Amino acid sequence: GKGVGTTILKAVQSWIKQQGYEALYGEVKAENLISQKAFLKAGYHQLEESIKIVDDLQHIPIIRFVADLVPVQEKPVFIIAEIGSN
């Protein structure tokens, strides 16, 4: 709740761009409003809401975000596996 997530999401963008990636992708649980706000404040664009299937018993609603570091082209995307407040 102190804005650290937003700061980190912004700070990592230049480093990731230096590594040759053109976009950052992230996803958070749909119920995690604090992390969603952090992504939006950091300049990410919200994509669609989806269901992440972890196993046969766990279907978790998620919201996806992307930050385009350069104009969109066909190149690899750096994926943030998990970031946010718990």
Side-chain angles (χ1 to χ4, degrees):
K2 298 184 181 185
V4 175
T6 298
T7 302
I8 292 169
L9 288 169
K10 286 181 181 179
V12 75
Q13 290 182 17
S14 63
W15 183 83
I16 296 298
K17 186 175 177 181
Q18 290 174 2
Q19 306 310 305
Y21 295 94
E22 296 181 352
L24 285 166
Y25 169 86
E27 58 187 41
V28 298
K29 290 181 180 179
E31 65 194 39
N32 191 338
L33 300 178
I34 293 172
S35 291
Q36 290 177 40
K37 288 180 184 178
F39 274 96
L40 293 172
K41 285 183 181 180
Y44 287 66
H45 303 284
Q46 183 174 330
L47 301 175
E48 76 282 356
E49 185 170 337
S50 184
I51 300 293
K52 184 170 195 146
I53 300 172
V54 178
D55 57 36
D56 289 340
L57 300 176
Q58 291 185 332
H59 298 142
I60 302 169
I62 60 168
I63 297 186
R64 296 181 172 139
F65 295 89
V66 67
D68 296 318
L69 305 177
V70 295
V72 177
Q73 298 175 5
E74 291 187 27
K75 295 243 177 161
V77 174
F78 189 82
I79 298 175
I80 300 173
E82 181 178 327
I83 190 164
S85 58
N86 293 320

